[in-house]
Amino acid sequence: MAKDISPKDLVIHVLNVGFGDNILIEFPADKNGKRSYGIVDCYSSKKTKGYLDKLILDSKKPSRLDFVCATHPHSDHIMGIKSILEDSTYKTMEFWDSGFRHKSDTYRKILNTLNTKKIDMIRVSSGMERYFGKVRLTVLAPSVVLRNKYDTYGIDMNNSSVVLRLEHHGTEVLEMRSQEYVGDMSLEAVRRAGRSVVILAGDAEFDSWAQVSHEYPRVERSSTHKPLVKKMVNNLACSVVKVAHHGSMHSSPLDIYEIMGPKLAIVSTKQKQSTKKQDGGSLTRDMFPHQSATIALEECDACILTTDGSYESKIEEDGSQKDPEMAYEGSIVIVIPPGGSPRWKKLNDKKKDVPDPPKKI
Amino acid sequence: MKKKEKKKSKKNVIVQRITIDEKLSEDLIRLLISPLKRGIKKFRDRMEYWEEEKEELVRLDSFAKKMGIPFSEKKKWKWENLREGQVYLSGSFDIVDIKKPPGKFEVNPKRKEFLSIDALAKKDIKKLYFRVLGRG
């Protein structure tokens, strides 16, 4: 049963732009009933602006974008950013950057726009926290360890990705350890702990996840008085994950998904195939998402939604589709009520369409 | 006659700035290609000289043609040596100076050149990056 989206809800829109990332965050409304917004990657400025304009009805004043974050400077994440920064309809407060300096002209033009428009650039790294009402945003990656190796040790661009964790609290006081639970190791317990958490994983790959799991460990504590009762802190537990690197074979290891325990995994993608030469023949396979990523997510019992519908429309052994009701392309909208569990909806838009934002989910 | 001239000029006046954007798999690379703006004869590796970049997916069998690598230099520029972030100039031009960023080049329809300008681009972007970071 669909419910109205409340001004108190955190809403995340993963727009279908083909092979690219384009995420819009609606933070809960302030005392005056006004929401603020954040953009995490922007491949299509046209679609982003069209969608934002439908979301923001009060178009007389410039709409405030708390931040525009480029998770990393690959073109499928930044192609539309310059146009957003230049547009005076939107007042961008900050630009968040991974610190990886790409030599493309697209990235150079973004830097130039920041310079001429006098927009502050923040080089973010693991540990940074920001608060938007009851939403706590934590930067999980890039680790400073990786950032210090960009120049000399060949850390690639994907591993420089900014990974964001958003938690929508139910309480007035933001607790430092909201992911604490007691005496239960089940998937359900992990999901209860991370029910109001969304992780946006950029294109982070193995090197990055190795650092994330090191810096945000799943920690168990046992009490000396009740040795059988354990407390656990797991900052990576989440209900929704925007899967890293379009679900490629290097996107995230199974171990990370097991720690996250996501209920919903979103892959923003347009399927592509690759052929690898091997002894005595060649191997052709789907790359985005790759089977290794979808199997790992299936192992964790996650619902997988792709923006191109390629996973959902896959044919199973019995001839049926994986998820016939979702076997189409479209943007995905997630609602997180304060302290509550997520609800989501897949819209039915092609990559160049600007869909109407849903009012109920 | 006019049509012919137009066709000819479009074919001749081509210098491209090519960036290796992402190696998507063993056999698939995404390039970013920006053509030199029309009518420019002398140019540098500065953004005002280049049109907006367009993405181009290339595979092993097509990359040399798409990147404009001269036939005689095919052995020098191998698929397996292409790395993310490499920047090249490709087309009809002469090198005037590549010691200092942003370099100096001149269109020359009689030549065919394929040149790595990594070092130029790296210094230039670093300077701009810290100017923006320092301003905040």
Side-chain angles (χ1 to χ4, degrees), chain A residues 340-351:
Chain A
S341 297
R343 311 191 303 274
W344 60 83
K345 184 176 185 173
K346 189 171 183 180
L347 310 181
N348 198 346
D349 55 309
K350 306 276 181 218
K351 73 172 186 178

Side-chain angles (χ1 to χ4, degrees), chain A residues 97-167:
Chain A
D97 181 76
S98 70
F100 198 108
R101 298 187 296 272
H102 197 9
K103 298 193 278 289
S104 72
D105 207 43
T106 303
Y107 183 65
R108 183 160 68 168
K109 282 174 176 164
I110 290 173
L111 291 181
N112 192 53
T113 306
L114 294 171
N115 201 29
T116 51
K117 300 280 281 185
K118 297 187 170 31
I119 298 168
D120 288 347
M121 178 165 78
I122 313 284
R123 191 160 52 157
V124 303
S125 60
S126 161
M128 175 178 134
E129 287 192 343
R130 286 289 173 89
Y131 300 88
F132 302 90
K134 286 184 191 172
V135 176
R136 183 169 74 188
L137 183 151
T138 311
V139 178
L140 302 178
S143 151
V144 173
V145 173
L146 290 190
R147 204 175 75 183
N148 288 340
K149 292 178 182 174
Y150 289 170
D151 239 7
T152 50
Y153 290 91
I155 294 299
D156 65 23
M157 242 179 277
N158 285 337
N159 278 312
S160 76
S161 280
V162 175
V163 177
L164 300 175
R165 174 188 185 275
L166 293 117
E167 179 169 12

Side-chain angles (χ1 to χ4, degrees), chain B residues 56-80:
Chain B
E56 188 87 52
L57 290 175
V58 291
R59 292 190 188 267
L60 177 59
D61 56 357
S62 64
F63 84 98
K65 195 178 171 192
K66 286 268 170 68
M67 292 177 77
I69 297 172
F71 187 77
S72 56
E73 291 188 36
K74 267 189 177 175
K75 280 186 182 168
K76 187 176 163 191
W77 307 102
K78 289 181 180 168
W79 172 263
E80 55 269 28

Side-chain angles (χ1 to χ4, degrees), chain A residues 43 75 97 106 119 245 274, chain B residues 21-22 27 53 55 129 135:
Chain A
Y43 183 55
S75 66
D97 181 76
T106 303
I119 298 168
H245 199 218
S274 173
Chain B
D21 189 42
E22 184 169 11
D27 67 337
E53 280 178 324
E55 294 175 339
Y129 188 88
R135 201 195 44 72

Side-chain angles (χ1 to χ4, degrees), chain A residues 80-328:
Chain A
I81 286 181
K82 182 173 84 93
S83 175
I84 297 285
L85 298 176
E86 281 174 342
D87 196 324
S88 54
T89 317
Y90 317 104
K91 188 167 168 51
T92 305
M93 306 310 290
E94 288 177 354
F95 175 75
W96 294 1
D97 181 76
S98 70
F100 198 108
R101 298 187 296 272
H102 197 9
K103 298 193 278 289
S104 72
D105 207 43
T106 303
Y107 183 65
R108 183 160 68 168
K109 282 174 176 164
I110 290 173
L111 291 181
N112 192 53
T113 306
L114 294 171
N115 201 29
T116 51
K117 300 280 281 185
K118 297 187 170 31
I119 298 168
D120 288 347
M121 178 165 78
I122 313 284
R123 191 160 52 157
V124 303
S125 60
S126 161
M128 175 178 134
E129 287 192 343
R130 286 289 173 89
Y131 300 88
F132 302 90
K134 286 184 191 172
V135 176
R136 183 169 74 188
L137 183 151
T138 311
V139 178
L140 302 178
S143 151
V144 173
V145 173
L146 290 190
R147 204 175 75 183
N148 288 340
K149 292 178 182 174
Y150 289 170
D151 239 7
T152 50
Y153 290 91
I155 294 299
D156 65 23
M157 242 179 277
N158 285 337
N159 278 312
S160 76
S161 280
V162 175
V163 177
L164 300 175
R165 174 188 185 275
L166 293 117
E167 179 169 12
H168 195 188
H169 288 260
T171 52
E172 285 301 328
V173 180
L174 301 180
E175 296 160 1
M176 284 308 289
R177 286 188 169 178
S178 58
Q179 302 307 310
E180 196 165 49
Y181 51 102
V182 181
D184 188 353
M185 285 280 284
S186 69
L187 178 61
E188 285 314 308
V190 175
R191 284 188 170 165
R192 266 200 309 279
R195 68 183 175 278
S196 311
V197 178
V198 176
I199 290 180
L200 305 175
D203 275 3
E205 293 185 341
F206 183 80
D207 289 345
S208 179
W209 291 118
Q211 289 299 328
V212 170
S213 61
H214 178 65
E215 291 180 357
Y216 295 90
R218 184 169 58 180
V219 184
E220 288 181 48
R221 297 191 307 210
S222 62
S223 154
T224 48
H225 301 293
K226 294 177 187 171
L228 293 177
V229 177
K230 284 180 179 175
K231 282 192 170 183
M232 187 177 286
V233 178
N234 178 2
N235 284 295
L236 300 182
C238 65
S239 60
V240 181
V241 60
K242 196 294 293 177
V243 172
H245 199 218
H246 321 283
S248 78
M249 68 174 107
H250 304 113
S251 52
S252 310
L254 172 61
D255 313 50
I256 289 291
Y257 289 135
E258 282 177 338
I259 295 168
M260 289 178 175
K263 224 170 161 181
L264 173 66
I266 298 168
V267 188
S268 56
T269 191
K270 175 75 189 153
Q271 187 56 276
K272 293 183 196 322
Q273 287 192 323
S274 173
T275 301
K276 183 181 187 177
K277 279 186 184 161
Q278 289 184 320
D279 286 343
S282 61
L283 172 70
T284 299
R285 70 275 198 230
D286 288 341
M287 297 299 291
F288 307 104
H290 187 271
Q291 211 181 2
S292 62
T294 54
I295 288 174
L297 288 161
E298 285 167 0
E299 279 290 329
C300 302
D301 202 22
C303 165
I304 303 171
L305 289 181
T306 58
T307 52
D308 70 344
S310 59
Y311 170 81
E312 299 90 318
S313 55
K314 269 211 153 139
I315 306 295
E316 301 265 59
E317 279 178 14
D318 64 0
S320 65
Q321 286 181 315
K322 281 255 186 209
D323 186 353
E325 286 181 15
M326 295 286 158
Y328 54 86

